[in-house]
Amino acid sequence: MKNAWNAQGRIDMDERITPRRFAAGLPGDIPRHWLPGNEFVSSLLNAYTILVPANEAFYIRTLNACLPHVRDETLLGRCQDFIRQEAQHGVAHKRYWDNLDAQGYAYRGFERMVDRWVFRVMDRFAPLWFRASLVSCVEHINAFLGYEFLSQSILASADPRMRDLMEWHFAEEIEHRAVAFDLLQAVSPRYPVRLLGAITTSTLFYLLMTGLTTALLAQDRRLWRKATWRQAAWHLGTGHGMARRTLQHLLDYLRPGFHPFRLPGADALAAGVLTRQASRQPPAVVAMGTRT
């Protein structure tokens, strides 16, 4: 991916997004807490995995609804590649659900409720400009989560199979981080639209993640253990600093001159992950080809 800022402060894009398939296996012997010594982050990312398919399906439906309004051929092609990437994310994460089922977690009712009463309600009643704004903000959240997890090597000691899944997903979120934002600028570039979408998305995202992570920890009987709270404090506060960093990234999104490409070192970080995974024998990810 190559990009540069021109004299007018706009981005000149020479990027190609490559749709990939996650080819690595996800056998049933993956442990419940696949990040050793950190049940909190394991449960947090399990919650993320559960929410991914319905989220990604909502993104795809929203972008497909927006495509007839896109006049720029380059943006149109990027949106199509984005859709192909997001479809594969949903497929790969859903494969891991078999492990969660075998481990006895109860989550499918919650997932169906979220899909029905959040995403399907948005599809039916929310105007397209609002849905596009929601997707733009949540894609910013996905990208900065990927950036923080990869740049801080948070998953270095994770079970290799889950590390591959999460790092592939995070790398692709970084790779396509500007697509939904650029689409929003084409559909409805007004700042109040971005602001309303950011408030709604960040509230929903963190409420759902908190609720589901809490439920998973409760099912493991680890919710009220001191060790779990120490892990949460380390991840959110003194260690990974995710609470402070999250606030900084969200405030950055609200700057009038914001653009997702301004994330230092992100492209090299994502490219390193994707190149490493593709070069393995057998590869963990397989390129599906680009649009013609």
Side-chain angles (χ1 to χ4, degrees):
M1 180 187 301
K2 298 177 182 179
N3 52 79
W5 293 93
N6 63 26
Q8 287 73 42
R10 297 179 181 176
I11 192 110
D12 290 323
M13 286 175 298
D14 175 19
E15 68 163 329
R16 295 296 294 268
I17 298 170
T18 303
R20 302 171 186 84
R21 177 175 59 86
F22 186 71
L26 293 170
D29 62 341
I30 295 174
R32 295 172 75 88
H33 303 114
W34 45 266
L35 185 59
N38 203 325
E39 292 86 357
F40 175 77
V41 174
S42 296
S43 298
L44 183 72
L45 292 182
N46 278 344
Y48 185 81
T49 287
I50 291 166
L51 293 172
V52 160
N55 268 278
E56 308 286 12
F58 174 71
Y59 308 162
I60 291 169
R61 293 192 300 270
T62 299
L63 261 71
N64 276 325
C66 287
L67 291 184
H69 304 280
V70 176
R71 300 291 176 260
D72 181 87
E73 289 297 323
T74 299
L75 178 58
L76 183 64
R78 292 167 63 218
C79 288
Q80 292 167 340
D81 286 342
F82 171 97
I83 288 170
R84 296 177 68 195
Q85 281 193 338
E86 296 290 24
Q88 287 302 311
H89 294 174
V91 169
H93 281 277
K94 212 161 188 176
R95 283 164 52 197
Y96 178 60
W97 287 12
D98 290 339
N99 294 271
L100 298 174
D101 291 336
Q103 292 161 354
Y105 286 113
Y107 64 90
R108 287 184 179 265
F110 182 90
E111 190 276 338
R112 286 192 295 268
M113 180 188 69
V114 170
D115 187 31
R116 180 176 181 179
W117 294 108
V118 177
F119 299 118
R120 300 292 176 173
V121 167
M122 290 290 184
D123 284 339
R124 185 172 181 181
F125 296 109
L128 185 58
W129 58 263
F130 182 58
R131 283 179 277 149
S133 185
L134 297 178
V135 175
S136 175
C137 182
V138 78
E139 279 298 290
H140 175 61
I141 292 173
N142 285 329
F144 76 65
L145 284 176
Y147 178 77
E148 294 297 343
F149 270 84
L150 295 180
S151 64
Q152 296 193 59
S153 300
I154 294 174
L155 301 178
S157 63
D159 180 283
R161 297 156 295 187
M162 286 304 293
R163 183 177 65 235
D164 280 348
L165 173 65
M166 297 307 305
E167 290 191 342
W168 160 70
H169 185 163
F170 285 150
E172 288 200 341
E173 292 295 341
I174 291 172
E175 185 180 53
H176 68 227
R177 67 189 182 276
V179 176
F181 182 86
D182 289 342
L183 178 64
L184 178 63
Q185 302 314 297
V187 172
S188 185
R190 294 171 298 160
Y191 181 80
V193 170
R194 192 201 317 175
L195 178 62
L196 180 60
I199 294 170
T200 306
T201 298
S202 55
T203 301
L204 275 174
F205 182 88
Y206 287 105
L207 280 176
L208 292 174
M209 283 288 290
T210 300
L212 189 49
T213 301
T214 300
L216 295 176
L217 287 168
Q219 290 178 51
D220 281 336
R221 298 182 180 178
R222 283 176 163 80
L223 180 59
W224 300 114
R225 292 188 179 184
K226 290 182 179 179
T228 303
W229 288 89
R230 284 196 296 269
Q231 293 162 10
W234 174 261
H235 180 67
L236 298 173
T238 55
H240 302 140
M242 285 299 289
R244 173 179 55 82
R245 292 171 185 270
T246 293
L247 181 59
Q248 289 175 339
H249 285 295
L250 290 174
L251 290 176
D252 190 44
Y253 182 78
L254 297 179
R255 285 191 302 102
F258 168 83
H259 193 278
F261 271 131
R262 293 181 174 129
L263 192 60
D267 292 325
L269 195 64
V273 168
L274 296 169
T275 299
R276 183 178 72 249
Q277 291 194 354
S279 64
R280 286 194 199 147
Q281 292 299 327
V285 296
V286 177
M288 299 168 60
T290 57
R291 52 187 161 82
T292 58

